[in-house]
Amino acid sequence: MRLNKYIAQAGICSRRKADELIANGNVKINGAVITEMGAQVENGDKVIVNGKPIEAETAKKVYVALNKPLGYVTTMSDDKDRLTVADLVTDIPERLFPVGRLDYNTTGLIIMTNDGDLTYSLTHPKHEVYKTYVATVAGVVSDKRVAALRKGVDIGGFVTSPAKVKVLKQNPRSAVVEIQIREGKNRQVRKMFAAVGNKVQTLERVAIGDLKLGRLMTGHYRKLTRQEIEYLKSL
Ligand code: URA
């Protein structure tokens, strides 16, 4: 098995993160530092990551949906000492990491798991699934702006792929808009609205593919059902 996959399956991190660990010389097979990307692990090999021995498939796989509150980062630790999503899933013994990112100021659905393979496939640019956001934005979201968002807008050197956009409510000075995108560029939804002239005031992710946030309270999480896990794997 490829070394990055082996590390991901052991629940240490995502496959992409494993590639970084390998490139940085943090991984040994049978005592030798391996920096070669395509390295294979054979039966009986001893793999050590950051000085700790690992065994693939030993960690029980756990999958949760978390409703991320405002003011939390979606990394496992933060150099500015801000709260992280890991602070919200403290009573699960396995170390879970977030699948993808949400901004500090974005709320809503984030999956957390120790299944590095699922993380890898869900976040891989090739098979990104539609993610649904509800944004409250300042100003009027005209039909012309909706059309531009749907078609794709330039967010600074990158033109977004077609999006699904629905104005749920237009108030005199603000609007509530549902927007579904497949890509996950940094601050993409905020930048898309900025590109058409609307500033995002609040942003919530309400679904990842068919997996819905539903009534999960802010700051709370629930374990995914077997069907939901199978669904995510099928994506
Ligand atoms: N788009 C954003 O702008 N922010 C997020 O957190 C997610 C998508």
Side-chain angles (χ1 to χ4, degrees):
M1 185 189 293
R2 268 176 85 101
L3 182 55
N4 61 355
K5 187 172 179 192
Y6 184 89
I7 296 170
Q9 280 199 353
I12 307 291
C13 58
S14 68
R15 218 187 284 188
R16 212 167 297 141
K17 185 84 193 157
D19 282 335
E20 273 174 41
L21 290 171
I22 296 165
N24 292 336
N26 295 324
V27 180
K28 286 183 188 171
I29 301 181
N30 301 330
V33 172
I34 303 292
T35 52
E36 174 206 331
M37 275 305 133
Q40 298 282 323
V41 181
E42 310 292 342
N43 271 347
D45 279 351
K46 292 220 162 25
V47 178
I48 296 186
V49 177
N50 288 330
K52 283 197 205 116
I54 62 161
E55 281 169 59
E57 299 289 12
T58 48
K60 186 178 138 216
K61 300 287 188 278
V62 179
Y63 307 82
V64 308
L66 169 73
N67 186 350
K68 178 190 150 338
L70 277 179
Y72 280 75
V73 291
T74 52
T75 48
M76 295 303 280
S77 63
D78 184 54
D79 48 13
K80 294 187 204 139
D81 255 358
R82 292 174 297 185
L83 291 163
T84 83
V85 284
D87 294 318
L88 295 166
V89 286
T90 44
D91 55 351
I92 289 189
E94 288 80 10
R95 183 174 147 88
L96 306 186
F97 43 93
V99 179
R101 296 177 305 219
L102 282 181
D103 297 339
Y104 187 67
N105 287 328
T106 301
T107 60
L109 180 60
I110 186 144
I111 298 165
M112 297 197 52
T113 183
N114 55 352
D115 182 341
D117 271 347
L118 182 71
T119 302
Y120 178 80
S121 58
L122 282 180
T123 55
H124 196 285
K126 244 199 251 164
H127 13 100
E128 289 240 13
V129 296
Y130 271 106
K131 279 150 291 198
T132 309
Y133 297 86
V134 174
T136 309
V137 304
V140 174
V141 182
S142 63
D143 290 349
K144 205 168 148 206
R145 289 177 178 187
V146 169
L149 290 167
R150 281 184 183 150
K151 185 157 170 264
V153 288
D154 190 334
I155 56 169
F158 177 83
V159 177
T160 57
S161 305
K164 300 181 192 174
V165 182
K166 216 189 295 173
V167 178
L168 302 177
K169 207 171 180 188
Q170 179 63 66
N171 302 314
R173 278 189 219 88
S174 66
V176 182
V177 185
E178 182 189 274
I179 179 162
Q180 294 180 291
I181 58 169
R182 298 181 71 167
E183 301 145 317
K185 297 283 174 206
N186 193 26
R187 303 178 72 78
Q188 181 163 339
V189 173
R190 293 172 201 276
K191 286 180 185 167
M192 287 174 75
F193 278 105
V196 297
N198 296 100
K199 185 172 167 41
V200 169
Q201 294 171 325
T202 67
L203 185 61
E204 179 178 39
R205 180 155 68 191
V206 296
I208 297 169
D210 290 342
L211 181 72
K212 297 207 167 55
L213 177 63
R215 288 163 188 262
L216 193 58
M217 285 198 303
T218 180
H220 287 231
Y221 67 86
R222 66 172 178 84
K223 288 205 172 161
L224 296 185
T225 64
R226 184 134 36 103
Q227 285 90 333
E228 287 171 329
I229 296 165
E230 288 313 313
Y231 163 71
L232 291 174
K233 288 184 177 175
S234 76
L235 295 171

